[in-house]
């Protein structure tokens, strides 16, 4: 376990400047882009990264992370073939299948020269400066079936995140439920969640969803039919052709800047060079 008393954090140089963190993340992203291009794996800039590319030609000035989407089949191919390439390029893939610590139903690509501590989750092993990779899954077209599927996923998601959060977090009912569900093997739990997310993988669909995303926004499937190149920090990266519709789903009037008090980074705390 890493701690100041054992000479962990105290011997490492902290990353405190937002621009330094952004450079590291952009470097990871550019390597992932090159790998995906070489291996015909389709990805799409997502969330604030997509918004930053459209509105700012790079990072949102106060943002400090990078997110990409992949269709489930591309995501699984990426997870299968990327690790051996990553090792040679100073990177590592982290997900529930590669690390007992990182028990979530999406992946991170990390810079192995760095460390980030995530105190809200169980586990002693830190990860590094990262970009997030979120799989997209198909939704059923029937509105009643779709609503039931999304609601069931929301429950599974809440229970799972409750399971891997710290024992003292939350109110008394949450602590009681957490104690009860700790008896479930975490590997079996995450495999069950992933199987559930892929339930409609073989069906034709009008809509997609990132089932790992706590916001659970329904996205038009045709927005992801093709990619377009957008500027991001001096490079051309892949975005969904329907990025305008996607950004409206997440942000509404996305060209309007948020209030000044909301322009704050989120991930720069507890970040270090090894």
């Amino acid at each position: 376990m890493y701690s100041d008393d054992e000479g962990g954090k105290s011997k490492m140089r902290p990353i405190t400047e937002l621009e330094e963190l952004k450079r590291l993340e952009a470097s990871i992203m550019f390597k992932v882009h090159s790998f995906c291009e070489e291996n015909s794996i389709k990805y799409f800039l997502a969330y604030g990264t997509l918004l930053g590319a459209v509105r700012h030609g790079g990072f949102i000035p106060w943002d400090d992370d990078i997110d990409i989407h992949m269709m489930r089949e591309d995501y699984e191919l990426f997870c299968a073939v990327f690790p051996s390439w990553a090792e040679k390029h100073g990177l590592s893939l982290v997900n529930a299948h590669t690390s007992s610590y990182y028990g979530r139903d999406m992946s991170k690509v990390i810079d192995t020269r760095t460390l980030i501590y995530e105190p809200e989750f169980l586990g002693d092993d830190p990860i590094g400066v990262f970009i997030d990779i979120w799989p997209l899954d198909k939704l059923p077209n029937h509105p009643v079936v779709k609503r039931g599927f999304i609601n069931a996923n929301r429950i599974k998601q809440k229970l799972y995140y409750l399971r891997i959060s710290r024992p003292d977090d939350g109110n008394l009912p949450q602590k009681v439920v957490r104690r009860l569900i700790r008896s479930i093997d975490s590997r079996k739990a995450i495999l069950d969640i992933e199987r559930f997310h892929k339930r409609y993988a073989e069906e034709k669909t009008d809509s997609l969803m990132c089932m790992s995303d706590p916001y659970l926004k329904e996205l038009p499937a045709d927005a992801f039919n093709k990619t377009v190149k957008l500027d991001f920090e001096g490079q051309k990266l892949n975005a969904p052709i329907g990025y305008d519709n996607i950004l409206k789903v997440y942000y509404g009037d996305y060209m309007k800047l948020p209030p000044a008090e909301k322009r704050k980074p989120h991930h720069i705390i507890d970040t270090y060079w090894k």
Side-chain angles (χ1 to χ4, degrees):
M1 181 173 181
Y2 292 84
S3 71
D4 288 331
D5 293 339
E6 295 171 6
K9 295 180 186 179
S10 62
K11 292 184 178 180
M12 297 184 290
R13 180 170 75 79
I15 298 171
T16 59
E17 296 298 323
L18 180 57
E19 293 308 312
E20 183 179 17
L21 182 62
K22 286 181 178 180
R23 285 194 298 272
L24 277 167
E25 291 169 348
S27 173
I28 299 170
M29 183 64 241
F30 298 155
K31 290 178 182 178
V32 168
H33 168 78
S34 295
F35 175 83
C36 289
E37 294 283 286
E38 291 167 9
N39 291 275
S40 300
I41 295 174
K42 190 183 291 185
Y43 77 86
F44 310 92
L45 298 181
Y47 306 120
T49 311
L50 177 59
L51 175 58
V54 172
R55 196 171 67 191
H56 304 279
F59 282 99
I60 295 172
W62 54 91
D63 199 9
D64 62 353
D65 67 347
I66 290 178
D67 297 290
I68 61 175
H69 277 143
M70 289 183 183
M71 298 297 294
R72 174 63 69 174
E73 57 268 28
D74 285 299
Y75 174 81
E76 292 187 344
L77 176 60
F78 180 86
C79 290
V81 300
F82 181 72
S84 59
W85 186 94
E87 254 186 81
K88 302 169 188 174
H89 294 83
L91 304 176
S92 179
L93 181 72
V94 179
N95 57 41
H97 301 279
T98 67
S99 170
S100 59
Y101 162 63
Y102 190 78
R104 278 163 278 176
D105 51 341
M106 41 80 70
S107 295
K108 293 181 185 290
V109 175
I110 69 169
D111 185 317
T112 55
R113 301 170 298 168
T114 63
L115 296 173
I116 287 181
Y117 294 82
E118 292 193 319
E120 70 270 32
F121 293 106
L122 289 172
D124 296 330
D125 300 323
I127 59 173
V129 171
F130 60 86
I131 69 169
D132 283 329
I133 305 180
W134 304 87
L136 291 169
D137 288 293
K138 294 180 179 180
L139 294 177
N141 282 327
H142 193 287
V144 175
V145 177
K146 183 191 299 182
R147 186 163 61 249
F149 182 57
I150 294 170
N151 287 338
N153 180 69
R154 185 175 284 111
I155 293 169
K156 284 177 175 286
Q157 197 178 59
K158 286 181 178 178
L159 288 173
Y160 189 77
Y161 279 90
L162 186 63
R163 185 189 188 285
I164 63 172
S165 58
R166 292 286 177 180
D168 295 331
D169 291 346
N171 54 35
L172 182 58
Q174 289 174 327
K175 291 176 182 178
V176 171
V177 172
R178 184 185 293 114
R179 181 167 293 183
L180 291 173
I181 61 178
R182 282 278 160 79
S183 61
I184 303 170
D185 180 81
S186 60
R187 186 68 179 272
K188 288 181 179 178
I190 201 70
L191 288 174
D192 173 68
I193 288 172
E194 289 179 344
R195 280 193 297 269
F196 182 78
H197 289 174
K198 296 187 285 185
R199 177 171 291 186
Y200 298 97
E202 302 305 318
E203 296 191 15
K204 291 184 178 180
T205 184
D206 297 326
S207 54
L208 306 170
M209 181 173 284
C210 180
M211 306 296 284
S212 312
D213 176 355
Y215 300 106
L216 297 179
K217 297 286 190 179
E218 186 175 343
L219 303 170
D222 60 5
F224 296 91
N225 284 344
K226 296 179 181 179
T227 59
V228 294
K229 298 289 186 184
L230 294 180
D231 290 322
F232 189 89
E233 300 298 323
Q235 296 274 354
K236 296 284 188 182
L237 300 182
N238 297 336
I241 193 166
Y243 63 81
D244 178 64
N245 286 337
I246 294 167
L247 290 174
K248 285 175 180 174
V249 169
Y250 281 109
Y251 306 108
D253 182 7
Y254 60 85
M255 296 303 287
K256 182 179 179 181
L257 295 178
E261 64 270 16
K262 292 189 176 181
R263 303 176 196 174
K264 296 177 182 178
H266 303 288
H267 297 94
I268 201 165
I269 299 171
D270 254 4
T271 305
Y272 302 86
W273 287 102
K274 287 182 179 178

